[in-house]
Amino acid sequence: MITECPAPRPENERVLLGHGAGGRLTAELLERTVLPAFGGEDGPLEDAALLPGSGELVMSTDGFVVSPLFFPGGDIGSLAVHGTVNDLAMRGAEPIALSVALILEEGLELEQLEAVLRSLGKAAQEAGVPVITGDTKVVGRGAADQVFITTTGIGRRLPGLSVSAAGARPGDAVLLSGPIGLHGTAVLSTREGLGFEADIASDTRPLHRAVEALAPLGDRIHVLRDPTRGGLAAALNEIARDSGVAVEIGEGAVPVPEPVAAACDILGLDPLHVANEGCMVVFVAADAADEALATLRSLPEGSGAVRIGEVLPADGHPGRVVMRTVVGARRVVDMPLGEQLPRIC
């Protein structure tokens, strides 16, 4: 009798931290494993989806596993609200209700849990969206890391807005509502005790009011996207891919706060790959770019808005993102591969 030992499973057949990073590994996991199981159709993967048959209702769900639970500028509770509200907003929707599900680790101090929930409740109240339902489960010690939160949001599309990651058009201006890199570096510094947190705080905040202010521009707003996991690089690559266009941005035009640039330089990180939780990318028709910028700059959450680039015809390279460097050269901005900063949201 001849027996054969089973071949070892290759590393790429196991779930890695990078599969949750929002880069190429995430895209591969979705395309090869997640979407086929649900009979998913081809098309752009949006931050939120229209409810079938509703015409105007939008739904989004998101899980939050950030470590540590509290960091400069925010915590897992407020982050859970802001992240879901923003996903609805990126489809042009105003939030109307949230559900919240908690997974708690046995041994979690009730004082910590109460602080998280107070922050979550305050963030929901300030965003003007009620928490109407939810669930709570407790798992054994070591089966989770203190608190995991899943939020689901329902929103209603704002009249006149019909935005999509596939909506970018040649000639569009690319706007950014504020500086990048703050959230990721704040969380990493706090978690690892690096000391940057004295100068860097997360930018976590809701963006739905900024989207509401842009709504009068109607069909001249083509794409909205908040560059969370995978940072600005991932967001621009996804939009360029789904729209079948090329995108060019200017290195000197992208606002990177000096403490963030210093932290990334020391840690060997690219600020374009670092997660954000309080800024958005806006693709807008060129003739409406100045009006959109002025609108954003009139709001606290858009006071640092800038124009960072433009959309170009694909010219044989659909999905390409290029940066003009400060010395006049051009470099390709790739989609991040895996996880530079795990447990960031």
Side-chain angles (χ1 to χ4, degrees):
M1 179 178 178
I2 299 176
T3 60
E4 295 183 2
C5 295
R9 293 177 66 90
E11 187 68 21
N12 62 6
E13 290 190 10
R14 299 179 185 273
V15 174
L16 307 174
L17 273 176
H19 282 120
R24 278 182 281 166
L25 287 178
T26 299
E28 290 176 6
L29 183 69
L30 291 172
E31 292 169 4
R32 298 178 183 179
T33 305
V34 177
L35 295 179
F38 301 144
E41 299 179 359
D42 293 335
L45 298 179
E46 307 280 8
D47 288 318
L50 287 171
L51 285 177
S54 73
E56 62 174 9
L57 293 181
V58 176
M59 180 177 178
S60 180
T61 193
D62 207 346
F64 296 87
V65 297
V66 64
S67 174
L69 300 181
F70 300 89
F71 46 84
D75 56 80
I76 193 172
S78 58
L79 184 64
V81 172
H82 297 161
T84 301
V85 164
N86 290 348
D87 282 348
L88 294 171
M90 296 307 106
R91 291 307 308 274
E94 60 177 344
I96 57 178
L98 292 176
S99 76
V100 175
L102 305 173
I103 297 178
L104 310 176
E105 182 187 14
E106 179 187 19
L108 173 69
E109 294 181 5
L110 284 178
E111 184 177 0
Q112 273 201 312
L113 176 59
E114 290 166 356
V116 166
L117 296 179
R118 281 196 303 269
S119 179
L120 190 155
K122 180 181 178 184
Q125 185 177 30
E126 290 176 347
V129 55
V131 177
I132 62 171
T133 189
D135 186 40
T136 302
K137 296 291 191 297
V138 178
V139 297
R141 295 175 187 268
D145 187 357
Q146 300 186 85
V147 180
F148 295 158
I149 301 177
T150 297
T151 47
T152 297
I154 300 292
R156 183 181 293 109
R157 294 179 76 180
L158 294 162
L161 274 186
S162 181
V163 291
S164 168
R169 305 171 191 175
D172 280 356
V174 182
L175 313 182
L176 186 65
S177 68
I180 64 169
L182 290 165
H183 177 72
T185 48
V187 173
L188 179 66
S189 180
T190 305
R191 183 165 63 217
E192 304 298 335
L194 302 178
F196 299 118
E197 62 268 25
D199 302 311
I200 302 173
S202 170
D203 62 342
T204 179
R205 73 182 89 186
L207 297 169
H208 61 298
R209 294 187 179 97
V211 173
E212 184 177 2
L214 291 172
L217 292 173
D219 61 6
R220 290 184 290 174
I221 301 292
H222 299 152
V223 184
L224 299 170
R225 179 60 66 92
D226 56 336
T228 54
R229 292 178 305 162
L232 183 60
L236 293 178
N237 271 276
E238 289 166 355
I239 294 166
R241 176 198 65 202
D242 292 339
S243 299
V245 297
V247 175
E248 183 173 281
I249 61 174
E251 182 179 21
V254 178
V256 181
E258 187 174 337
V260 170
C264 288
D265 187 54
I266 291 170
L267 298 171
L269 302 174
D270 186 339
L272 295 178
H273 294 173
V274 177
N276 313 276
E277 289 291 348
C279 68
M280 64 178 172
V281 180
V282 181
F283 284 60
V284 58
D287 62 0
D290 289 343
E291 186 176 352
L293 269 178
T295 298
L296 289 171
R297 288 171 177 169
S298 70
L299 303 169
E301 55 268 48
S303 60
V306 292
R307 181 171 179 165
I308 62 169
E310 61 185 336
V311 178
L312 306 175
D315 289 338
H317 299 287
R320 175 174 287 186
V321 178
V322 176
M323 173 181 279
R324 301 186 308 275
T325 69
V326 292
V327 296
R330 281 175 166 78
R331 73 172 178 91
V332 173
V333 178
D334 286 323
M335 172 75 83
L337 173 61
E339 187 70 85
Q340 287 192 24
L341 305 174
R343 305 282 301 279
I344 223 71
C345 63

